[in-house]
Amino acid sequence: MTRNRWLIALAAIATVFTLAAADYADARAGRGGSFGSRGSNTFSAPPATNTAPRAAQPIQRSQTAQPGAATTGAAGQAARPGLFGGGLLGGLAAGFLGAGLFGMLFGGGFLAGMGSFASILGLILQVVLVIFVARLAFNWWQRRNNPAPAYGAANGPQSANQNNAAFTGLGAGTGGAFGGMFGGAKAAPATQPITIGEQDFNEFERLLSEIQAAYSAEDLNALRANAMPEMVSYFAEEIGENAKQGLVNRITDVKLLQGDLAEAWRENNDEYATVAMRFALTDSVVQRSTGQVVEGGTPGEATELWTFRRSRGAPWMLSAIQQA
């Protein structure tokens, strides 16, 4: 009986780690998350575009303080939800799992009196259910506490798509993958709208490739040259976590397939531009010592919204990434 309890506990732990491994499903720069700063628009959703017609995921980690919310930590960085989400519900979920495992090992467990096979299935189902309910509750709490996007009728998704149609017409004959999508055009109104031209779009395409290459090479100096310090800190954290596990993320064959402008604006002396980009890449997680691929390795595509920032007269730098 004791042996069965150990087997059940090990099966449950393996299930939890399998669920946790989903965090590496998008292992490219940023690991498929949404983080960084978009100035005063950090907690407002960018307008939909032809490239990213669905609402972007809200920023999950930022050093920009959310209006009306207390900051966490010295830099005011929002905590990243763990496997069970954050807050009280996350703690309860983890507590229930711990209690179940403890009971399996030293007592009756969750499903005392039932056979070992039923116990395994029951525990796995309960773990998945607890995680699912906790995450639903956490997402509801996030939506409830995040301010609604502040877009008027002239600044909503329909207006953004109309502008994107104009980009296609104005961009005819321009070079690069942004060619047919981007041209000299004005963004939807934000703080103070600015004009984004072909040279800017070429810079965005260059930054997409160079940042992915620098992340793959774990070259922090190259990342500092192309991204804001906040973004570099997140990248460095991810690279460090990979190193602890003896892994490295290799990203190759990055190519922009489609892109369009969501919004561009000026705040004081800084300018921002949020662009939707669909790009091809080969994303692999490999053993650091042997180079053996442990995840990925096949060509794929990703669609993300990247926000770039520059001071007047300075080059564009990556300031935020959001998932479409």
Side-chain angles (χ1 to χ4, degrees):
M1 190 66 184
T2 302
R3 179 184 177 186
N4 287 340
R5 286 174 179 164
W6 276 106
L7 290 174
I8 293 167
L10 289 174
I13 293 171
T15 301
V16 172
F17 278 104
T18 299
L19 292 170
D23 288 341
Y24 284 93
D26 292 305
R28 60 189 176 273
R31 290 185 180 171
S34 298
F35 55 95
S37 300
R38 298 199 322 122
S40 62
N41 287 335
T42 297
F43 299 102
S44 295
T49 74
N50 290 331
T51 302
R54 296 183 300 177
Q57 291 183 12
I59 295 289
Q60 298 162 340
R61 305 180 71 191
S62 180
Q63 293 179 5
T64 300
Q66 185 173 348
T71 58
T72 59
Q77 178 177 310
R80 175 166 53 182
L83 174 62
F84 298 101
L88 176 62
L89 287 171
L92 287 175
F96 281 132
L97 176 60
L101 293 176
F102 186 84
M104 288 272 177
L105 294 173
F106 302 106
F110 276 119
L111 299 173
M114 299 184 67
S116 60
F117 180 70
S119 297
I120 293 173
L121 292 180
L123 179 59
I124 291 174
L125 288 174
Q126 289 179 76
V127 169
V128 172
L129 181 61
V130 168
I131 294 172
F132 179 74
V133 172
R135 285 192 165 178
L136 279 180
F138 178 76
N139 289 337
W140 172 84
W141 180 85
Q142 261 195 330
R143 289 193 301 269
R144 183 172 179 269
N145 288 273
N146 280 348
Y151 296 115
N155 195 28
Q158 181 178 3
S159 175
N161 285 332
Q162 290 170 351
N163 283 337
N164 289 329
F167 297 162
T168 303
L170 291 172
T174 58
F178 283 106
M181 298 295 168
F182 286 147
K186 290 189 177 180
T191 304
Q192 181 182 352
I194 61 173
T195 299
I196 298 298
E198 180 184 353
Q199 183 177 352
D200 299 310
F201 298 126
N202 290 337
E203 276 293 291
F204 302 153
E205 185 174 358
R206 178 189 66 80
L207 286 167
L208 171 68
S209 297
E210 291 192 5
I211 287 172
Q212 296 287 8
Y215 182 83
S216 177
E218 300 183 336
D219 188 343
L220 292 180
N221 287 330
L223 287 170
R224 292 187 189 100
N226 292 310
M228 301 300 296
E230 178 181 359
M231 296 297 289
V232 176
S233 70
Y234 299 145
F235 293 148
E237 180 182 333
E238 293 168 4
I239 291 170
E241 289 175 0
N242 285 340
K244 289 179 183 177
Q245 300 177 57
L247 303 173
V248 61
N249 193 185
R250 300 295 187 205
I251 305 164
T252 58
D253 305 322
V254 177
K255 181 180 179 181
L256 182 68
L257 302 175
Q258 180 180 347
D260 50 11
L261 180 70
E263 57 184 342
W265 69 99
R266 177 180 294 114
E267 293 183 19
N268 300 320
N269 291 323
D270 293 325
E271 295 179 339
Y272 294 83
T274 296
V275 296
M277 297 187 288
R278 180 171 65 88
F279 54 95
L281 77 166
T282 300
D283 191 356
S284 309
V285 177
V286 304
Q287 289 285 351
R288 189 174 294 269
S289 57
T290 65
Q292 181 180 359
V293 176
V294 297
E295 183 179 340
T298 57
E301 292 185 8
T303 300
E304 298 178 331
L305 288 99
W306 285 31
T307 296
F308 301 95
R309 173 184 172 183
R310 69 179 176 188
S311 299
R312 294 190 186 184
W316 288 105
M317 302 184 75
L318 177 64
S319 182
I321 293 177
Q322 289 173 272
Q323 300 306 303

